[in-house]
Amino acid sequence: MKSGQEKVGAVLVVGGGIAGMQSSLDLAESGFKVYLLERSPCIGGVMAQLDKTFPTNDCAMCIMAPKLVATGRHPNIELITNSEIEKLEGEPGSFEVTLAKHPRRVSSEKCTGCGICAQECPVEAINEFNEGLLPRSAVHIDYPQAVPLTFIIDKTVCIGCGICEKMCKANAIEYDQAEEQQKIDVGSIILALGFDEFNPEIKKEYGYGIYPNVVSSIEFERLLSAIGPTGGMVLRPSDYDIPKKIAFIQCVGSRDEQCDKSYCSAVSCMYSIKEAIIAKEHTEGLDCHIFYMDIRTFGKEFEDYYNRAQEEYKIGFTRSRPASLREDPETKNVIISYVENGEPKEEEFDMVVLSVGIDAPKDAITLSERLGIDLNKHNFVSTKKFSPLSTSREGIFVCGAFSSPKDIPDTVAQASGAASKASSIISSERGKLVAKREIIPEKDVRLEGARIGVFVCHCGINIGGVVRVPEVVEYARTLPNVAYAEHNLYTCSQDTQERIKEKVKEHDLNRVIVASCTPRTHEPLFQSTTSEAGLNPYLFEMANIRDQCSWVHMHEPDSATEKAKDLVRMAVAKARLLEPLKKATLDVKRNALVIGGGISGMTAALGFADQGYKAYLIEKTSELGGKVRHLHYAVTEENPQDELFALIKKIENNENIEVFKDAELLSIEGYVGNYKTKISYENLEKEIDHGVVVVATGALEYEPTEYSYGEDRRLVTQLELEKLLAEEKINPKNVVMIQCVGSRGESVSYCSRICCTTAIKNALQIKDQHTDAKIYILYRDIRTYGFMEDYYQKAAEEGVVFVRYDVDSKPKVEITEGNLKVSVKEPNIDEELRLDPDLVVLSVAAIPDPNNEELSKSLKVPLSKDGFFLEAHMKLRPVDFATEGVFLCGSAHSPKFIDESISQAEAVVSRACTILSKDYLEAEGVISIVNSDICSGCETCILVCPFDAIDKDDKKKAKVNELLCKGCGACVAACRAGAIQQRCFTDEQILSVIRSAFQEVEV
Amino acid sequence: MEGGGILPDFEPKILAFACNWCSYAGADLAGVSRIQYPPNMSIIRVMCSGRVDPIFILDALKKGVDGVMVLGCHPGDCHYISGNLMAERKMRWTKELIEKAGCDPRRLKLEWISASEGERFANTAREFTEQIKELGPLQKEDKEKISAELKAASKVVDESRVRVLMGKERELVEEGNVYGDKAAQKDFDALMKGILDDEHTREKILLAAKAEPLSIKEISKRMGMPSQEIGRHVMWLRHKGKIALHGIEGRSPLYKTVEVEV
Amino acid sequence: MLPTFEPKILAFLCNWCSYAGADLAGVSRFQYPPNVRIVRVMCSGRISPRFVLKSFQEGADGVLIAGCHPGDCHYSKGNYYTRRRLTVLGKLLEHVGLDPRRFKVKWISASEGGKFADVVKEITEDVKKLGPQNSLKRVDENE
């Protein structure tokens, strides 16, 4: 054992899906070394398989690819793919992990990812990535954007013919690679294993695997994908015809005791709606129909998505769980038998999609044994409400679907949160194991004429097999300013990097052009070579003659060669005008301002303190605690009051946290890294300097105007009920709870997420105190997602009666002769149900704080249409604002549970640490600059800038904040005076490129 | 499958590929010894029977030859050590393809004839001529169909993975693969059969969708195979850029073979 | 026989979606006509009408602009500017006598390699039929 050893500033992240990538990037950017372990050959996880994402219908690959690339090339992240954990020793702060590395049989150092091997491989095997719908070769990668872009030989199907070895010009094939062991030392561990899909074959009555036109939702996702087997056309498997009518069946392998999956998969309702919408968009005249038990669209703007699906897309919804499916042997259509309103019905569809549930990952049990962590009864990692990111073993954390089924934004928030937890225990080791940046002196080239070196790549035979590379080199030599040109077998190989450096010296080059593949993957490599050669990295330019030339004109060598020459000429035209760039840098004030002293704000403040940064926590009331002060019960065994006061005590005793009560934000100035804020508190004023801002202002409880609320003290809200229960002041015999008071269409259009579980929690509490109380819960859909479904079951078992009502016939509450009367119409029963309760509890909506508007203005951050704060990206940046340095968490983002607020608050700490941990902030290189001599001060640029990066200076001229500018160039195109230029993409450069597309440009 | 029945006046055209060192010499010996055999056979000299590409055979049949013989040295006698053994394996698969094209596999015959076996050469020629006479002319009324079928078969052989495996069979089965493992003959056969089936189906799909755009249902009707399987192949061909979506008729996408100008 | 007219088309693609889509067309080996020359910009919002005009002036027979689908923009709203700005430009070009088929604005995502190839095929075929573009081409004084 390594007991008593020093802490290690490294973290092991297990699982390379979106969660693992997010954790790794956060940690790597905040000064920690990361080992990212992935069982499969490449990272990306399930998200890489998705076509679009809800509720924005963003293209999954478009938004994920930048993260893939960033993870793959981060100097502080070591990717260990195709590997597993074998053994864990040591203690928190200093673990020793033994990894089993399975042979890849392709050298990751040598493989260039060109794919010739896969093209020539004679074997066709089942392609798991495409859900078996399109074959792949024995030597393969999962998807074209895979990271690492290293092929792998699947030994189980490889016949060992040796062809790939012969075809590979990079000599990357290594058949004799063996199993290896690697030992790594880390301070903490994050488990981000994700989930497995439920295998629908288990539900025999649905005929999956027997009827060809019954497919799983993930297979259907591949049918929707533009890079999927059908090229994005929805075709049914039996005859590849375009279906006219598709049914989706919900809850296949979730909310189903029969197949041992009692919990709800939390995402299936939304993904089915999404798949139905996308399918309709892809297919003219398609009918989509969803069979469901409850529609659970509880997330931010999910309810709108559901409404649009019904109204705009005319997707049908039937509340029924079909008993069985059968096939018409003639047409292969599928007939669904179901019961609606008590009547058995049948309907025929061309195709049926089974919305499969979320299973614990298949290696959960083995891994939990090896690591010594507890799983819950569903084989997911067991966590607690007030520590949702911690496992039962200290130093090991969990995030994403591995602790409970969840969607991408919740997963990403947890991933950041887990990164914060994992680094807080080793915060003393920050910066100790990360790659040190070497500073290479740069040659000043500003006064020299351009001397360009052109390196044209054969890429084995990928380019050279089509384009006549030597001819392109000859041509390049004739171009003005080209001082040197040569061709290489692989320009990206290690020895060519050395060669480029030599040639730069030998020929006194001051610009470098590589004509090869795409800058999207290879520009950073060549830029660092340029930099190592003593030139500013922005003196580099690329010509894409593979992906956009040789590969797409394989049968036209003449035209392809001409095109390659054009592309080189265009690159030369640009390179000639390239200028060295220095990235602006700025100091960071290493402390945080947290607005809001509820559970989210407190968690964030404590998180900053644990990371070693000072936090200023401002609370508008005279007490910390926020809404949780009013919570007396959790649906789990924890006591919210005990937990809350323990937390408040920690906050008040922490010297890194300064709390201001009765506080108000007076003004805030500055930008990321450097804010100056004035606050007033307890009749005093104070100015605070800080580097980041956190919005944790929570939400409010809706005050109902309906159901006669306020007219009788026996009409209470759930929060009021909780207080009465805690004070043991009531003895109810007959309770009616009404759900969706205010939510889902009345006062607010969204679902308030927490009310179903809260009602059930309080119902169980009443039952606990008064066993014989009769409780009715009147609902529209019960939305106890994830493991909260278990409490729904429990309530039903304990005799709580659930009565559904339709939105157009809401329950009525009357007070006649001092008695409460509730009547409700259950849609399946003709008669109205009349109840005589002695207590009516209203589950009221959570609504945004009206003060949000003012705060949003002073912080220059947007609000959503519902009035909550709007994050930078719904899917992948749930706690960031588009404005750098400002973050949000908790119910200010949208209504949420305690554990979800805590996860987001931890996430904020992690995201903010990527700023606070820096010695200095560095701007992007490719940014906009204003020539104030020309600027007329018209403010058009200020209007179009998506990042609020442009302001006016004292002379009323536009001024770009270099730290906030992300380099999109929208302002440049908008400027009517030509006063703004984008570095690396100046008008002069682009116009010269345009010109050179047609002719040689004179110098 | 083609029908039998001997036509009285039928004089078949037969082609024989003979290796330079044994069989060609054997044929010469037959001549020197004045051993008579039917005049239907033309001999093409190759240096080794291993040189005989299955495409030669399929092409010969397509061009109007009624039967093909491949003649090589006896096992162990090959001038190039193992060329004849390679030929033996290749011919086995070629027969399979001939059958797939709807022709009688007996139209191809492989024999070992040494330089001293003039007599045996003549006998073989006689027997084979008789055999082909019995089978009748290859291209009778459905000339175009057979020719198209044979062309599809020769395209199958032209697929690089088929060539690779045909070329590597002996090595993989007898000597071991890159991992040093030997493949059992029956496993190899199953693999190869599967590949030939798939590639043949794909070639036939391409052939069918060459003249006019077709739906998957229509292709499967014409080929007598389930649409599910045809569809799987069409998706693959589309993925490889060999077939393209042409339009949609009713609910059925139509596909047309992509003709590459090289 | 006259040599067939091979048009030259300039394509301005945003780095994050459409340029990636063009790369994917390559990785997937989707073949398309070799008439397009791609200019990469970080965001379609960077594309100034000036670039389009300059391209036609220099003799481009067609210009293609492609960015992320609405809502997918890496810079959150750059492509909305593109849409507005280039709609106006398109009308203007039509007004001065340029055939609208020579100027296309498309949304192509990083996973739509096939769509990129199809769009290139479409514009190339259209422009081939239209013949060389002369309405905006600069007249060289030396000629």
Side-chain angles (χ1 to χ4, degrees):
Chain A
M1 291 293 282
K2 308 187 76 187
S3 165
Q5 283 209 358
E6 276 185 17
K7 287 185 176 177
V8 184
V11 179
L12 169 65
V13 178
V14 188
I18 190 65
M21 289 196 282
Q22 184 63 47
S23 294
S24 303
L25 285 168
D26 275 3
L27 288 163
E29 277 296 307
S30 357
F32 298 94
K33 161 102 192 167
V34 178
Y35 298 95
L36 176 54
L37 183 74
E38 168 58 43
R39 186 179 50 184
S40 80
C42 62
I43 59 173
V46 177
M47 193 175 167
Q49 282 183 293
L50 303 182
D51 176 48
K52 299 277 163 60
T53 58
F54 60 78
T56 49
N57 288 357
D58 268 331
C59 152
M61 192 48 80
C62 297
I63 57 177
M64 195 179 80
K67 277 208 200 264
L68 279 173
V69 176
T71 309
R73 70 179 182 220
H74 201 291
N76 298 340
I77 301 177
E78 186 175 326
L79 284 185
I80 307 174
T81 50
N82 211 28
S83 306
E84 287 167 276
I85 291 185
E86 208 157 70
K87 204 165 71 183
L88 172 71
E89 289 167 295
E91 57 194 52
S94 139
F95 288 117
E96 186 189 79
V97 191
T98 311
L99 308 176
K101 298 175 83 173
H102 307 309
R104 196 173 191 109
R105 299 190 172 84
V106 178
S107 157
S108 46
E109 285 81 38
K110 291 182 192 159
C111 176
T112 67
C114 77
I116 282 286
C117 52
Q119 274 192 327
E120 299 301 325
C121 175
V123 177
E124 280 176 17
I126 290 180
N127 183 341
E128 303 88 346
F129 185 79
N130 269 321
E131 298 289 322
L133 298 169
L134 202 68
R136 64 152 167 81
S137 40
V139 53
H140 67 108
I141 46 165
D142 277 352
Y143 56 102
Q145 300 87 346
V147 169
L149 195 58
T150 304
F151 278 69
I152 179 168
I153 295 176
D154 177 356
K155 178 86 193 307
T156 58
V157 292
C158 174
I159 56 166
C161 67
I163 286 299
C164 50
E165 187 184 27
K166 290 211 171 62
M167 294 310 297
C168 182
K169 296 278 180 290
N171 299 323
I173 306 291
E174 294 174 350
Y175 294 117
D176 53 359
Q177 275 185 14
E179 290 281 336
E180 266 177 60
Q181 250 191 9
Q182 185 182 355
K183 282 189 187 210
I184 54 172
D185 292 322
V186 294
S188 51
I189 297 171
I190 294 174
L191 304 178
L193 272 73
F195 64 93
D196 274 340
E197 303 139 36
F198 173 78
N199 175 6
E201 276 176 34
I202 296 169
K203 272 195 85 67
K204 296 238 182 300
E205 61 271 34
Y206 287 163
Y208 176 84
I210 301 162
Y211 309 143
N213 292 329
V214 176
V215 302
S216 82
S217 41
I218 193 93
E219 284 167 354
F220 194 69
E221 194 79 43
R222 296 312 301 152
L223 291 179
L224 294 173
S225 169
I227 52 170
T230 58
M233 202 191 270
V234 180
L235 301 175
R236 62 176 205 159
S238 73
D239 54 10
Y240 288 75
D241 260 4
I242 300 167
K244 292 185 283 291
K245 234 176 127 189
I246 300 181
F248 293 78
I249 298 180
Q250 296 305 110
C251 299
V252 178
S254 47
R255 302 181 67 187
D256 190 350
E257 286 283 6
Q258 278 176 344
C259 43
D260 201 22
K261 305 284 170 209
S262 61
Y263 56 93
C264 160
S265 58
V267 294
S268 321
C269 284
M270 277 304 278
Y271 79 58
S272 290
I273 296 175
K274 173 197 76 180
E275 289 186 355
I277 287 178
I278 306 292
K280 285 195 76 131
E281 283 181 351
H282 286 204
T283 318
E284 230 182 274
L286 177 70
D287 246 4
C288 286
H289 207 95
I290 298 180
F291 289 86
Y292 69 99
M293 305 210 292
D294 294 282
I295 284 290
R296 296 187 165 172
T297 48
F298 52 83
K300 193 173 189 174
E301 304 198 359
F302 289 5
E303 187 74 9
D304 292 331
Y305 197 67
Y306 173 35
N307 291 335
R308 268 177 58 212
Q310 296 176 83
E311 287 149 26
E312 202 177 305
Y313 290 92
K314 310 285 178 214
I315 290 164
F317 287 84
T318 299
R319 187 186 295 267
S320 178
R321 178 177 224 156
S324 63
L325 309 183
R326 65 192 163 80
E327 184 184 64
D328 178 338
E330 242 347 89
T331 60
K332 305 277 176 197
N333 287 348
V334 185
I335 298 141
I336 300 185
S337 311
Y338 65 100
V339 177
E340 195 186 17
N341 299 337
E343 272 177 61
K345 290 184 180 171
E346 278 197 345
E347 197 171 345
E348 192 169 320
F349 290 89
D350 297 333
M351 188 173 178
V352 171
V353 181
L354 304 180
S355 299
V356 294
I358 281 182
D359 254 3
K362 49 181 165 297
D363 46 355
I365 296 176
T366 349
L367 188 74
S368 70
E369 281 163 2
R370 281 181 194 165
L371 298 181
I373 54 163
D374 294 342
L375 300 181
N376 67 16
K377 63 174 176 175
H378 304 297
N379 287 336
F380 288 77
V381 174
S382 163
T383 58
K384 293 211 166 77
K385 193 148 199 84
F386 284 82
S387 52
L389 305 166
S390 302
T391 69
S392 59
R393 181 162 179 181
E394 206 190 327
I396 303 183
F397 304 91
V398 65
C399 61
F402 193 25
S403 62
S404 69
K406 53 179 72 70
D407 63 9
I408 293 173
D410 287 355
T411 295
V412 170
Q414 282 211 330
S416 283
S420 158
K421 297 297 285 179
S423 56
S424 70
I425 63 168
I426 48 170
S427 65
S428 58
E429 307 305 301
R430 189 190 305 279
K432 292 197 180 159
L433 290 177
V434 297
K436 293 273 179 288
R437 224 194 295 174
E438 218 183 313
I439 296 163
I440 303 153
E442 260 170 37
K443 188 180 163 198
D444 188 352
V445 303
R446 282 171 301 177
L447 299 173
E448 294 177 3
R451 289 182 56 78
I452 304 171
V454 181
F455 298 82
V456 186
C457 180
H458 282 268
C459 194
I461 59 169
N462 281 287
I463 296 170
V466 179
V467 171
R468 294 186 293 272
V469 171
E471 200 179 310
V472 176
V473 171
E474 274 313 309
Y475 175 75
R477 288 187 181 132
T478 68
L479 292 170
N481 295 89
V482 172
Y484 179 75
E486 68 166 37
H487 47 94
N488 320 103
L489 184 58
Y490 287 104
T491 309
C492 62
S493 70
Q494 200 43 53
D495 50 324
T496 312
Q497 305 318 299
E498 294 308 313
R499 198 174 157 83
I500 292 175
K501 286 184 237 167
E502 276 167 32
K503 293 295 165 191
V504 167
K505 255 190 209 95
E506 194 181 318
H507 297 273
D508 195 22
L509 305 175
N510 57 21
R511 305 283 190 284
V512 177
I513 290 176
V514 171
S516 61
C517 46
T518 171
R520 288 175 45 259
T521 55
H522 280 68
E523 193 172 60
L525 168 74
F526 295 124
Q527 277 190 330
S528 64
T529 303
T530 308
S531 171
E532 284 160 29
L535 294 172
N536 183 283
Y538 291 92
L539 297 171
F540 170 78
E541 181 64 18
M542 238 173 138
N544 187 338
I545 61 166
R546 187 188 72 177
D547 302 44
Q548 296 177 359
C549 185
S550 69
W551 274 351
V552 290
H553 314 306
M554 289 166 80
H555 311 298
E556 295 155 289
D558 291 338
S559 306
T561 305
E562 283 315 304
K563 179 171 174 178
K565 287 181 192 172
D566 281 7
L567 292 173
V568 167
R569 186 174 67 235
M570 288 159 76
V572 168
K574 181 154 180 191
R576 189 182 295 136
L577 299 171
L578 286 175
E579 282 167 30
L581 296 190
K582 277 268 175 291
K583 293 181 181 177
T585 58
L586 210 85
D587 292 341
V588 184
K589 290 177 183 137
R590 297 180 159 197
N591 41 40
L593 175 73
V594 181
I595 308 170
I599 189 82
S600 308
M602 287 194 294
T603 305
L606 193 62
F608 284 119
D610 286 347
Q611 294 280 356
Y613 303 116
K614 180 152 186 149
Y616 300 97
L617 180 60
I618 62 173
E619 165 57 37
K620 69 177 172 200
T621 70
S622 55
E623 278 173 318
L624 291 177
K627 281 281 164 298
V628 182
R629 288 189 81 84
H630 308 293
L631 297 182
H632 298 274
Y633 311 103
V635 69
T636 50
E637 67 272 21
E638 291 102 330
N639 180 336
Q641 294 296 310
D642 294 352
E643 300 278 350
L644 181 69
F645 288 106
L647 181 61
I648 292 177
K649 207 169 161 197
K650 269 193 208 164
I651 298 268
E652 287 178 339
N653 292 337
N654 196 309
E655 52 188 30
N656 258 343
I657 304 175
E658 210 170 316
V659 181
F660 302 94
K661 294 175 188 167
D662 289 318
E664 199 186 330
L665 189 80
L666 297 177
S667 71
I668 183 159
E669 271 171 36
Y671 44 86
V672 57
N674 295 272
Y675 285 102
K676 222 177 228 337
T677 297
K678 273 200 194 110
I679 60 161
S680 69
Y681 70 103
E682 294 162 355
N683 300 324
L684 298 167
E685 271 193 26
K686 187 178 168 75
E687 202 172 85
I688 299 170
D689 287 344
H690 54 103
V692 295
V693 191
V694 179
V695 177
T697 50
L700 302 178
E701 193 181 30
Y702 168 69
E703 194 173 315
T705 52
E706 49 270 79
Y707 299 120
S708 314
Y709 177 77
E711 290 173 25
D712 192 300
R713 57 175 184 78
R714 290 165 299 174
L715 271 163
V716 296
T717 66
Q718 291 287 358
L719 270 189
E720 289 164 346
L721 168 67
E722 222 167 309
K723 186 158 182 260
L724 293 172
L725 285 173
E727 292 168 353
E728 296 186 5
K729 278 188 181 158
I730 46 165
N731 186 14
K733 295 270 179 275
N734 225 320
V735 184
V736 172
M737 295 184 175
I738 303 176
Q739 298 304 106
C740 294
V741 180
S743 306
R744 296 185 68 191
E746 285 300 292
S747 303
V748 298
S749 63
Y750 55 86
C751 160
S752 296
R753 188 174 185 130
I754 55 174
C755 341
C756 284
T757 307
T758 306
I760 286 167
K761 171 189 85 172
N762 287 341
L764 286 169
Q765 190 59 39
I766 295 174
K767 279 277 181 193
D768 201 32
Q769 295 182 359
H770 313 281
T771 328
D772 47 355
K774 274 206 82 70
I775 304 170
Y776 293 87
I777 296 183
L778 315 185
Y779 71 99
R780 289 176 57 194
D781 290 280
I782 288 291
R783 295 183 165 174
T784 44
Y785 57 93
F787 301 138
M788 288 177 282
E789 179 73 9
D790 289 342
Y791 299 100
Y792 177 26
Q793 290 307 324
K794 191 176 170 207
E797 279 159 23
E798 292 193 11
V800 176
V801 183
F802 290 86
V803 182
R804 192 167 68 80
Y805 70 86
D806 263 346
V807 65
D808 35 16
S809 67
K810 289 198 173 166
K812 288 190 190 70
V813 178
E814 283 168 299
I815 310 163
T816 35
E817 295 163 6
N819 294 324
L820 289 174
K821 299 257 181 222
V822 176
S823 56
V824 62
K825 168 118 186 36
E826 165 30 277
N828 290 343
I829 304 167
D830 281 338
E831 262 173 68
E832 212 172 39
L833 187 66
R834 290 172 185 280
L835 302 164
D836 301 297
D838 50 19
L839 186 67
V840 173
V841 189
L842 305 181
S843 293
V844 300
I847 55 165
D849 191 329
N851 295 325
N852 284 356
E853 203 152 321
E854 205 187 315
L855 186 57
S856 85
K857 278 187 190 131
S858 41
L859 292 173
K860 291 188 197 158
V861 295
L863 295 181
S864 73
K865 67 170 206 4
D866 295 324
F868 291 99
F869 283 94
L870 182 61
E871 61 273 32
H873 191 276
M874 284 245 183
K875 232 38 194 178
L876 295 187
R877 298 181 66 195
V879 301
D880 299 53
F881 280 110
T883 307
E884 218 177 325
V886 192
F887 304 91
L888 76 163
C889 59
S891 295
H893 164 281
S894 66
K896 44 183 67 61
F897 287 103
I898 292 172
D899 47 342
E900 293 165 338
S901 291
I902 291 174
S903 296
Q904 280 204 339
E906 295 287 0
V908 158
V909 174
S910 175
R911 299 293 305 136
C913 281
T914 64
I915 295 169
L916 297 178
S917 65
K918 298 273 181 354
D919 292 334
Y920 53 85
L921 288 181
E922 196 172 55
E924 302 268 336
V926 180
I927 55 165
S928 294
I929 36 168
V930 181
N931 182 341
S932 44
D933 290 345
I934 308 176
C935 175
S936 67
C938 74
E939 300 191 8
T940 306
C941 52
I942 299 180
L943 223 61
V944 300
C945 178
F947 305 100
D948 285 315
I950 312 181
D951 239 329
K952 277 183 146 184
D953 63 11
D954 10 322
K955 288 176 195 141
K956 299 242 186 303
K957 305 278 184 155
K959 187 168 177 285
V960 176
N961 184 321
E962 300 191 344
L963 282 165
L964 297 184
C965 177
K966 296 271 157 268
C968 67
C971 54
V972 190
C975 180
R976 45 191 103 179
I980 308 189
Q981 279 311 327
Q982 183 185 16
R983 290 171 165 177
C984 279
F985 292 88
T986 65
D987 279 352
E988 190 193 7
Q989 287 165 354
I990 296 177
L991 292 170
S992 174
V993 169
I994 293 172
R995 191 141 195 237
S996 69
F998 301 94
Q999 56 187 293
E1000 248 177 57
V1001 179
E1002 297 297 314
V1003 191
Chain B
M1 192 63 66
E2 47 179 310
I6 303 175
L7 294 170
D9 305 328
F10 171 52
E11 287 299 336
K13 276 201 193 89
I14 292 170
L15 211 59
F17 293 95
C19 87
N20 182 61
W21 306 98
C22 299
S23 311
Y24 197 83
D28 280 352
L29 182 61
V32 173
S33 323
R34 310 296 196 274
I35 308 173
Q36 302 299 301
Y37 58 87
N40 305 57
M41 193 164 68
S42 314
I43 297 179
I44 296 178
R45 182 173 68 109
V46 287
M47 293 311 282
C48 173
S49 55
R51 170 68 183 93
V52 180
D53 192 310
I55 289 181
F56 298 171
I57 296 159
L58 295 164
D59 201 44
L61 294 175
K62 197 183 96 181
K63 295 237 161 75
V65 167
D66 299 297
V68 178
M69 282 213 291
V70 176
L71 307 173
C73 312
H74 283 271
D77 290 354
C78 179
H79 190 78
Y80 305 102
I81 304 161
S82 59
N84 52 352
L85 300 178
M86 310 261 277
E88 186 179 18
R89 290 180 182 274
K90 261 188 267 186
M91 290 314 121
R92 201 157 69 90
W93 299 116
T94 312
K95 271 175 182 279
E96 182 102 15
L97 282 165
I98 291 174
E99 202 171 348
K100 276 190 185 303
C103 307
D104 195 304
R106 285 172 294 178
R107 292 189 186 273
L108 170 63
K109 191 178 176 71
L110 176 73
E111 262 324 316
W112 307 137
I113 290 165
S114 76
S116 59
E117 293 175 329
E119 181 82 41
R120 183 174 152 82
F121 175 84
N123 288 342
T124 305
R126 202 173 302 119
E127 280 160 24
F128 190 62
T129 309
E130 282 311 306
Q131 168 83 77
I132 298 299
K133 273 194 176 165
E134 199 176 302
L135 289 173
L138 175 60
Q139 304 195 0
K140 285 176 285 191
E141 56 280 0
D142 47 359
K143 202 169 167 174
E144 262 175 39
K145 182 170 178 282
I146 287 196
S147 161
E149 291 276 5
L150 285 164
K151 187 162 182 203
S154 61
K155 281 201 161 168
V156 170
V157 181
D158 211 21
E159 270 300 314
S160 75
R161 64 181 189 137
V162 173
R163 297 191 77 80
V164 163
L165 286 182
M166 277 195 185
K168 290 255 171 190
E169 176 178 353
R170 215 179 78 81
E171 188 184 320
L172 293 175
V173 173
E174 289 175 14
E175 287 163 20
N177 65 11
V178 296
Y179 306 108
D181 304 327
K182 271 188 216 173
Q185 186 67 49
K186 72 168 175 31
D187 292 343
F188 183 87
D189 287 358
L191 174 80
M192 190 69 179
K193 271 200 162 74
I195 288 178
L196 291 182
D197 281 348
D198 281 353
E199 293 299 338
H200 186 247
T201 307
R202 289 172 190 168
E203 288 306 334
K204 298 234 336 186
I205 292 171
L206 291 175
L207 198 66
K210 197 172 162 183
E212 51 175 330
L214 294 176
S215 71
I216 284 171
K217 268 197 259 183
E218 180 59 30
I219 300 173
S220 76
K221 203 160 86 193
R222 289 192 192 180
M223 289 176 56
M225 286 173 77
S227 356
Q228 202 177 348
E229 205 180 323
I230 296 295
R232 193 169 55 85
H233 288 300
V234 169
M235 291 307 118
W236 177 247
L237 290 167
R238 191 176 166 203
H239 187 71
K240 288 277 166 187
K242 291 186 176 174
I243 206 165
L245 185 67
H246 188 269
I248 292 167
E249 198 180 72
R251 309 298 298 183
S252 305
L254 303 180
Y255 298 90
K256 195 164 186 301
T257 304
V258 174
E259 300 196 40
V260 181
E261 308 147 30
V262 182
Chain C
M1 213 179 87
L2 280 170
T4 46
F5 166 57
E6 285 299 339
K8 212 160 210 184
I9 297 160
L10 270 191
F12 295 89
L13 309 183
C14 88
N15 181 62
W16 304 98
C17 294
S18 307
Y19 194 88
D23 280 347
L24 182 62
V27 177
S28 320
R29 311 295 197 276
F30 292 131
Q31 303 296 300
Y32 56 79
N35 304 62
V36 165
R37 303 291 176 268
I38 292 169
V39 180
R40 180 174 69 114
V41 289
M42 294 312 282
C43 175
S44 58
R46 170 70 183 92
I47 299 160
S48 154
R50 208 174 150 194
F51 299 166
V52 180
L53 289 170
K54 175 81 172 172
S55 305
F56 284 122
Q57 254 177 15
E58 291 293 333
D61 301 301
V63 172
L64 167 68
I65 286 171
C68 309
H69 284 264
D72 283 4
C73 178
H74 187 80
Y75 304 104
S76 68
K77 53 183 185 180
N79 51 357
Y80 290 116
Y81 298 125
T82 321
R83 182 160 62 180
R84 286 185 215 158
R85 194 179 289 144
L86 298 177
T87 310
V88 175
L89 178 67
K91 290 203 174 119
L92 186 76
L93 290 173
E94 209 176 327
H95 185 71
V96 300
L98 188 95
D99 192 296
R101 283 168 290 178
R102 294 192 188 275
F103 176 58
K104 282 195 169 61
V105 182
K106 295 277 181 182
W107 310 130
I108 297 171
S109 80
S111 60
E112 293 176 325
K115 181 173 177 186
F116 178 78
D118 289 343
V119 165
V120 171
K121 272 182 220 158
E122 185 190 310
I123 190 170
T124 310
E125 275 162 29
D126 281 355
V127 171
K128 255 190 190 171
K129 275 183 219 140
L130 292 169
Q133 180 272 129
N134 288 317
S135 38
L136 290 172
K137 194 173 174 183
R138 183 166 46 104
V139 182
D140 212 316
E141 295 94 35
N142 303 334
E143 274 174 23

